[in-house]
Amino acid sequence: MEEPIMPFTNIAPLVLVDPETGEELWMIENRHPGVAIFDYDRDGDMDFYVTSAEIDALLPDTTGGPNRLFRNDGDHVYTEVAKEAGVDLRVANSTGVAACDIDNDGYQDLYVASYGRIGDNLDYRAARYYSELPAIIKDRLFRNLGDGTFEEITDSALGDAANIRSGFSVGCSDVNNDGWIDIFVSNRSDQDFLWFNRPDHHGHYNVLYLNNGDLTFTDVTEEAGLIYGPILMRDPFGDDIGWPDPETGEIVPGYNPDLIDASGEYVGDPTGQTLAALFFDHDDDGDADLWLADDGSRLKIFRNDSTKDDVKFSQISRAMGIDRMGAWMGFALGDYDSDQDLDIFITNIGYHPLTREAPTTPSGDCAYGHQYGWGTCFHFLLRNDGVREVEGVGMVGVFNDIAGATYVAPNEVMPPMALDPTNIDDEWQVPTGLAAYDFGFGTVFFDYENDGDQDLYWLGAMSDRGEAPSGHLFPGAGRLLRGNGQGDFQDITVEARVLDILGVDYSVLDPSDSNFNRGEQRISPAFHENGKGLAKGDLNGDGYVDLIGTNSNGCRLVGQDECNWEPGPLFLWMNAGGDRNWITMRLIGGMLDGDTGSNADGIGARVYIEYTNPDGSKGEQVQELTGSSTFLSMNSLELTFGIGKADKVDSIKIEWPSGLDQVIEDIDANQRVEITEGQPLP
């Protein structure tokens, strides 16, 4: 008998409304909205922060609004307190956000990335000429004071190293295992110089800030080996396309130094456009490696070769054999095949470009590289197959892309159009399996029904201005794939009611029913919003993981040639729950109460659990606590494990970043436990 599908409920329009003015706080004015789920006031429930773009950061013909911090007051009551808390950031073009405890005081602080001002034809170097520009484009760092308010410490903590490039996603990790959280900022490029129809495709250098342990940070990007070179840009004959470096005369692929902005300054840097960063220990050697999703360039993997006194990363993606060019966008980390190691899903544009002829102009368009085999538009599902030694490189992870070979039982109500071969242009090979699925930005693995295996959700869509959100260039309405723990999936998106579409009528979901009408019920990617950020966390404390999705603002078509500028909706998808059991953990590193051990958040810890099912069989699961971005966003730092009908967890093993291995035994199910490094449960 097939498992029933318990639907989610989007409660955002009901609960995210100003009670005095009636303002719809769930409508967000931002092209790149991010979300972070975290317990900012440490009252035991999850709050969340959403980034916006204030009107001062944009051109006069657009709209904006402040960032929003929603305090969870229980019973689905969320109070917007960003202004009172000091984090509304009214003059900033905010994008990605991370919530990490940078000072080990037990409260998560906020790093908020910021983008270039859209429409002014100015890149980041122009900030020296325009006095108002730094406040708009500079990232911000806020210290949580523990009393419900935050203090901005950007200037004192970062000084002249504060990031003014076009910040996107933010990741937290203790890269040298010294007990202090470090910060990595993924920079993209200024929106005014972002294109995919010509061979110059420059980005902005990323930044790694090393925590000095005294509320200051040092930019160690270059010495750590994280300033990497130009992108892959070739002509149809395989030769590099680029321009001569003004100083050396050497050809730099994809970068045109003759391109200048309205202030007369160079545009961008000779590097990729990084949309997301994932820190996790992929080679099981006890430190956090770094994966980067670059849009229009190769996938980047950096092995962590650091010591406490010397931060070093080595790029190993080529040695791993997965350095294909793509429109890489977001990361999900989870053990999808239940073999007790961690696999990776990476979102890409999907099959959409294959419905059209291949592009002939060299560019960062994934379809250009796809036709020659050194690029791909398909999502990656990278199965973790251990490690191997490579001569001259050392130990590297073994990850094989099996997306095309991964079976997905399609959704009868809304299957991807790529499953019909006639929709794929004749010059392309027809995609199969998970590779046949549509566009994605933010993505997460999570156990939707607490049956002990990982399920996968992603959302995302992209259209040019004048077409969004109703455009059909790269339509995507979100996908929820239910895993079976053995490597296969079932598409349950529609039945689970997590379509990234407003106003869906889910009352009739049988295509053979005469009352079913796909158009009138708005069950089609044609009605998509423009999905961007995504984060997971248990918002109501029932032991079942909920989802928050963001959507960018844009023009909605009115007739043939006109469009109305509209904000993007926030979706608060509450899990319906069920009768399966669970355990939720908050990890507390030893640095909270002392000067040794792991960071207070426990970021980087690997957690293994074992339990006994009612039939006597053993269940085993693994998760790693990451402070990285799914895409512009950050998940809750609490780990929830579904354990089916087991009534207790036999053992929890935690491999802390400090090197300590801790085992706790015989824990009752259906509770939230706080585990402090090296200490028994209270």
Side-chain angles (χ1 to χ4, degrees):
M1 180 178 177
E2 190 174 274
E3 285 282 340
I5 299 172
M6 302 300 292
F8 287 75
T9 301
N10 173 31
I11 65 171
L14 301 176
V15 302
L16 303 183
V17 178
D18 188 308
E20 296 182 0
T21 66
E23 180 185 2
E24 296 177 325
L25 302 177
W26 56 282
M27 300 299 284
I28 305 298
E29 289 286 6
N30 197 351
R31 189 163 185 146
H32 303 106
V35 57
I37 300 177
F38 70 122
D39 183 5
Y40 88 95
D41 51 5
R42 287 302 184 205
D43 64 351
D45 54 28
M46 289 295 122
D47 317 294
F48 60 96
Y49 183 80
V50 183
T51 65
S52 188
E54 177 53 30
I55 191 168
D56 291 341
L58 308 172
L59 290 185
D61 63 344
T62 60
T63 57
N67 294 357
R68 290 169 179 162
L69 175 61
F70 292 98
R71 187 185 66 213
N72 188 342
D73 292 328
D75 296 325
H76 301 309
V77 175
Y78 294 90
T79 304
E80 204 288 298
V81 295
K83 184 176 181 180
E84 299 94 305
V87 291
D88 54 336
L89 263 178
R90 299 197 65 85
V91 183
N93 193 5
S94 300
T95 53
V97 58
C100 311
D101 186 356
I102 64 169
D103 53 358
N104 287 325
D105 67 348
Y107 288 85
Q108 289 171 259
D109 310 291
L110 279 176
Y111 187 103
V112 184
S114 194
Y115 210 50
R117 181 168 57 186
I118 299 173
D120 62 3
N121 200 35
L122 297 172
D123 202 16
Y124 71 91
R125 294 181 180 89
R128 70 186 75 176
Y129 308 119
Y130 295 85
S131 60
E132 80 282 3
L133 200 55
I136 295 169
I137 68 175
K138 183 170 68 174
D139 295 358
R140 302 304 210 288
L141 180 59
F142 295 94
R143 183 188 180 196
N144 190 332
L145 299 179
D147 61 359
T149 67
F150 293 77
E151 172 191 18
E152 186 187 344
I153 60 170
T154 311
D155 292 339
S156 62
L158 305 177
D160 293 339
N163 185 49
I164 60 171
R165 290 178 168 90
S166 289
F168 225 64
S169 297
V170 185
C172 298
S173 178
D174 182 1
V175 299
N176 57 352
N177 286 343
D178 66 349
W180 297 93
I181 284 295
D182 311 300
I183 299 172
F184 184 86
V185 183
S186 306
N187 286 315
R188 193 183 191 185
S189 72
D190 189 286
Q191 187 72 33
D192 296 344
F193 308 99
L194 179 65
W195 42 66
F196 290 84
N197 58 357
R198 46 193 273 186
D200 48 342
H201 188 80
H202 48 266
H204 285 171
Y205 289 130
N206 301 320
V207 186
L208 174 63
Y209 293 113
L210 191 68
N211 193 330
N212 299 318
D214 59 0
L215 288 176
T216 69
F217 291 78
T218 301
D219 179 356
V220 297
T221 319
E222 186 170 2
E223 43 273 54
L226 293 175
I227 297 290
Y228 54 87
I231 69 169
L232 176 69
M233 186 63 66
R234 293 175 176 167
D235 65 22
F237 303 101
D239 297 323
D240 287 340
I241 300 176
W243 288 260
D245 182 281
E247 296 182 3
T248 67
E250 295 182 3
I251 297 297
V252 180
Y255 181 71
N256 181 2
D258 297 327
L259 184 65
I260 60 173
D261 70 2
S263 73
E265 287 286 349
Y266 293 118
V267 169
D269 304 312
T271 191
Q273 301 176 9
T274 304
L275 300 194
L278 170 67
F279 280 106
F280 92 106
D281 184 9
H282 79 248
D283 51 7
D284 299 326
D285 65 349
D287 53 29
D289 308 296
L290 176 61
W291 291 56
L292 300 181
D294 279 11
D295 189 2
S297 185
R298 294 178 185 266
L299 187 66
K300 309 288 193 311
I301 300 97
F302 291 87
R303 185 183 62 212
N304 191 338
D305 294 328
S306 302
T307 65
K308 281 185 171 60
D309 301 318
D310 187 23
V311 176
K312 293 292 183 185
F313 287 84
S314 302
Q315 188 172 172
I316 59 171
S317 39
R318 184 178 182 187
M320 291 174 66
I322 54 175
D323 59 333
R324 294 182 73 184
M325 174 266 188
W328 305 117
M329 299 180 190
F331 291 107
L333 182 68
D335 182 12
Y336 86 99
D337 52 0
S338 302
D339 63 351
Q340 285 70 63
D341 59 22
L342 294 165
D343 314 292
I344 306 173
F345 179 73
I346 312 175
T347 50
N348 206 336
I349 276 185
Y351 67 82
H352 308 286
L354 277 63
T355 62
R356 302 178 285 273
E357 293 182 357
T360 57
T361 302
S363 72
D365 184 348
C366 67
Y368 180 75
H370 194 111
Q371 65 186 311
Y372 299 113
W374 41 262
T376 181
C377 291
F378 299 151
H379 306 305
F380 262 7
L381 179 60
L382 297 176
R383 186 184 63 208
N384 188 338
D385 290 328
V387 296
R388 65 186 176 96
E389 185 85 19
V390 176
E391 185 176 356
V393 178
M395 199 67 70
V396 303
V398 179
F399 288 83
N400 292 299
D401 174 38
I402 58 166
T406 298
Y407 174 72
V408 180
N411 189 282
E412 294 184 1
V413 185
M414 197 185 76
M417 61 182 296
L419 294 184
D420 181 351
T422 63
N423 289 323
I424 303 299
D425 192 83
D426 290 343
E427 67 179 298
W428 299 109
Q429 183 176 352
V430 176
T432 59
L434 185 51
Y437 277 74
D438 26 23
F439 194 105
F441 274 124
T443 179
V444 295
F445 276 116
F446 73 115
D447 188 353
Y448 134 76
E449 74 275 69
N450 282 352
D451 63 349
D453 55 44
Q454 293 291 289
D455 310 297
L456 176 65
Y457 184 76
W458 75 86
L459 82 175
M462 189 71 183
S463 297
D464 294 330
R465 186 176 178 182
E467 296 178 335
S470 301
H472 306 298
L473 183 60
F474 301 123
R479 292 286 176 180
L480 176 58
L481 306 186
R482 180 164 67 179
N484 65 0
Q486 300 172 22
D488 296 331
F489 293 94
Q490 176 191 9
D491 183 355
I492 61 170
T493 312
V494 179
E495 293 81 0
R497 303 191 178 190
V498 285
L499 287 173
D500 189 30
I501 300 172
L502 285 178
V504 180
D505 176 4
Y506 290 106
S507 61
V508 181
L509 299 181
D510 181 358
S512 65
D513 191 316
S514 60
N515 294 314
F516 176 75
N517 187 302
R518 187 171 282 105
E520 290 184 2
Q521 294 181 233
R522 295 175 60 82
I523 302 178
S524 166
F527 301 102
H528 72 89
E529 295 296 327
N530 275 348
K532 294 297 182 292
L534 179 70
K536 64 179 178 179
D538 182 3
L539 294 169
N540 58 356
D542 67 349
Y544 283 77
V545 175
D546 311 300
L547 301 173
I548 300 180
T550 74
N551 289 274
S552 60
N553 55 12
C555 286
R556 189 180 297 277
L557 285 177
V558 180
Q560 289 283 28
D561 302 318
E562 297 182 7
C563 67
N564 289 333
W565 188 268
E566 296 182 1
L570 192 69
F571 283 84
L572 215 62
W573 284 300
M574 301 301 298
N575 196 319
D579 60 0
R580 291 194 173 103
N581 298 329
W582 51 274
I583 188 83
T584 294
M585 305 171 205
R586 177 195 168 198
L587 303 185
I588 303 173
M591 287 290 284
L592 175 62
D593 295 316
D595 55 5
T596 60
S598 304
N599 65 87
D601 281 332
I603 290 174
R606 182 81 60 85
V607 180
Y608 298 86
I609 70 167
E610 295 184 359
Y611 51 95
T612 304
N613 295 307
D615 63 2
S617 63
K618 291 292 184 180
E620 296 179 303
Q621 295 183 50
V622 60
Q623 292 189 46
E624 184 164 311
L625 183 58
T626 68
S628 308
S629 176
T630 64
F631 176 81
L632 298 171
S633 306
M634 183 171 160
N635 299 319
S636 164
L637 291 181
E638 293 192 347
L639 298 178
T640 295
F641 291 83
I643 58 173
K645 295 297 183 178
D647 58 8
K648 69 176 182 177
V649 175
D650 297 331
S651 69
I652 299 173
K653 178 185 177 183
I654 304 172
E655 297 176 352
W656 293 92
S658 66
L660 176 69
D661 288 350
Q662 181 176 2
V663 177
I664 299 172
E665 298 180 327
D666 197 24
I667 307 99
D668 289 337
N670 300 329
Q671 62 170 320
R672 175 183 179 270
V673 295
E674 293 187 353
I675 302 176
T676 300
E677 184 176 12
Q679 297 182 20
L681 290 181

